[in-house]
Amino acid sequence: MKQFIAVLLGSCFLAGVVTAQPNYEFRAAWIATVDNIDWPSKGNYDTEKQKAEYISLLDMHKRNGLNAVIVQVRPATDAFYPSQYEPWSQWLTGKQGKPPFPYYDPLAFMIEEAHKRGMEFHAWCNPYRAEFSIGKSSIAPDHITRTHPEWFVTYGGTRYFDPGNKEAQNYVVNIIRDIVSRYDVDAIHFDDYFYPYRIAGKEFPDFETYKKYGNGLSMDEWRRSNVDSIILKLSQAIKEENRYCRFGISPFGVWRNKSQDPEGSATKAGVTNYDDLYADILLWLKNDWIDYVAPQIYWEFGHRAAPYEVLVDWWSKHTYGKHCYIGLGIFKANSSTPWRDKTQIPRQIRTLRKYPEIQGAIFFSSKSFVKNPLGWNDSLRTHLYKEPAMIPPMPWIDTLRPAAPDIASVKPLDTAVRIELVKSSEEKRKIKCYRLYACYNDEYSNNFYNAQLVGSLFDADIRDTCVFYAPLRPDRRFARFYVTSVDEDNVESKPYPNYPVKLEAVKVDRMGWSLR
């Protein structure tokens, strides 16, 4: 119905007060599956109960205003999905290699349920951990540690791929390529475990590999080159399979201390990414190998070695044009005096919002929300995340706007106006979401740039058509409505209508509304 230019009608929505909350903000939680930290709960090997638990987590996060989940789908060289390379995870079925019963594909299920709720799904994988607890972990007969034992080393009771082994690197890259090629994941996500955290008095046992491949580099330089190498290979593989799929890393919160490097942060951390985990995050950002960084800043304001405020400021200056989401430690609630302060997390969110180079936050971890620690669920739901936010688009991936939706019909009802949208015939790509905006003032010359978001419809709600209902206010105050489309890369169309039109209010019946 192209003659539809704007809708002036009484609106039911609350007084049009625009909040200071951002329209675009990444708001996510990690869902850890290793050792059943978050999901599924220990001993829950029943398919339907697993599904119910996951849906409950998603619904909780949705109520709290989150718009993404980061779910661990490969915790220890195993799989939460059917894989030709790796066995089913012991944390899914109780025994590594045993499929779920009744059978289902957990990854496909989890992605679908997240997308139904308008939430992104980032597939979180651990690159090198192969046997979580030697002698205690369930290991399938065809597990890679048994078919290629020469690829692995033992350190601190855990078995790891040797990061310097090129065959092992290529194997890990093939795992990630397989996920991206078969599943509609929005991103691949790696955490801070590359080389493992140091154990006092024990050296990581890769000296023989170093002798073979060191090529004149120092041990530290060679280890960093190994991590750089797999990050580059992963980045290339992900983009080859799906150029729209993002690649993110969540490192330990300190890159280097200023005492070690003039470019480092004013911190006194005993562990750093660069020197201990051999992860040169800044290089990956500078070289466009990753799309976002999510530093784990699990410390409070004023921490003696790693103050939150110092690190947020430092990371804001070291994003190199890529997105930065701050990892927040809600799991620390009530663990010490600073973390008994109910304002700690709200203040951290307000602080990161002061930096335009920082686009959001990720919370560790999901189960910490269940008991509403220090009322933080309430703070998010009723204040900090009360207004919904879209995930910020990444212009280096996609800048092409989708076509705005067409208006099929506008129909007044007794207490509302029904606005039916259809996907534009010009748009061939998948539409993730339709959005409805309104201007609430009484000036008919108002335009989209003064509009407030009043509703969104996501995947499961979008078929050939979708419908918004705009209930009428008791005072039948006029409002102008606009609609937009959002594609899978979070790029929003121009509004429809996309230009201001001066309209005269015409009362056409007892309800006092007008369409022009």
Side-chain angles (χ1 to χ4, degrees), residues 217-381:
L217 297 174
S218 71
M219 175 71 87
D220 285 4
E221 289 171 336
W222 174 73
R223 285 175 173 170
R224 274 190 290 275
S225 74
N226 291 332
V227 182
D228 294 342
S229 175
I230 195 169
I231 293 298
L232 176 57
K233 289 177 182 178
L234 287 165
S235 179
Q236 292 171 338
I238 290 166
K239 300 306 180 181
E240 285 169 5
E241 295 299 330
N242 179 0
R243 73 181 187 90
Y244 300 109
C245 182
R246 281 150 280 160
F247 185 24
I249 304 287
S250 179
F252 181 73
V254 179
W255 175 70
R256 297 192 91 187
N257 298 310
K258 190 176 285 291
S259 62
Q260 299 164 302
D261 189 313
E263 197 173 3
S265 54
T267 51
K268 299 176 182 178
V271 174
T272 71
N273 281 290
Y274 187 90
D275 299 283
D276 298 286
L277 305 178
Y278 306 102
D280 190 357
I281 310 295
L282 301 195
L283 176 69
W284 311 341
L285 288 164
K286 291 174 183 176
N287 288 349
D288 302 327
W289 294 349
I290 60 176
D291 297 303
Y292 70 81
V293 62
Q296 299 169 24
I297 308 181
Y298 297 155
W299 302 286
E300 67 271 13
F301 289 93
H303 187 276
R304 59 180 179 78
Y308 175 82
E309 67 277 16
V310 169
L311 285 166
V312 169
D313 182 76
W314 187 88
W315 280 104
S316 76
K317 295 177 173 63
H318 294 84
T319 64
Y320 302 98
K322 298 301 183 287
H323 282 189
C324 180
Y325 316 134
I326 301 300
L328 301 179
I330 63 164
F331 70 96
K332 299 188 77 171
N334 294 309
S335 62
S336 63
T337 298
W339 288 96
R340 284 189 282 274
D341 177 2
K342 67 181 181 180
T343 71
Q344 185 71 237
I345 288 293
R347 285 189 293 132
Q348 290 188 356
I349 293 171
R350 292 189 188 99
T351 296
L352 68 86
R353 281 177 170 172
K354 294 177 182 178
Y355 295 93
E357 304 85 359
I358 295 174
Q359 289 81 15
I362 310 174
F363 299 89
F364 190 86
S365 67
S366 287
K367 75 173 184 181
S368 302
F369 278 110
V370 172
K371 294 184 179 180
N372 191 18
L374 298 173
W376 288 337
N377 289 34
D378 302 327
S379 296
L380 296 180
R381 187 181 69 257

Side-chain angles (χ1 to χ4, degrees), residues 1 26 134 137 140 156 176 179 198 200 203 218 234 249 253 271-272 275 308 330 332 342 406 425 457 466 497:
M1 182 168 140
F26 190 78
I134 294 174
S137 297
I176 302 306
I179 294 173
R198 294 180 187 270
E203 184 65 23
S218 71
L234 287 165
I249 304 287
V271 174
T272 71
D275 299 283
Y308 175 82
I330 63 164
K332 299 188 77 171
K342 67 181 181 180
D406 291 334
S425 59
L457 290 173
C466 71

Side-chain angles (χ1 to χ4, degrees), residues 18-39:
V18 179
T19 71
Q21 295 179 32
N23 288 327
Y24 288 87
E25 186 173 52
F26 190 78
R27 305 168 177 177
W30 279 288
I31 298 179
T33 59
V34 63
D35 205 26
N36 301 111
I37 289 175
D38 291 318
W39 179 86

Side-chain angles (χ1 to χ4, degrees), residues 70 128 468 484:
I70 298 175
Y128 287 142
F468 283 104
T484 65

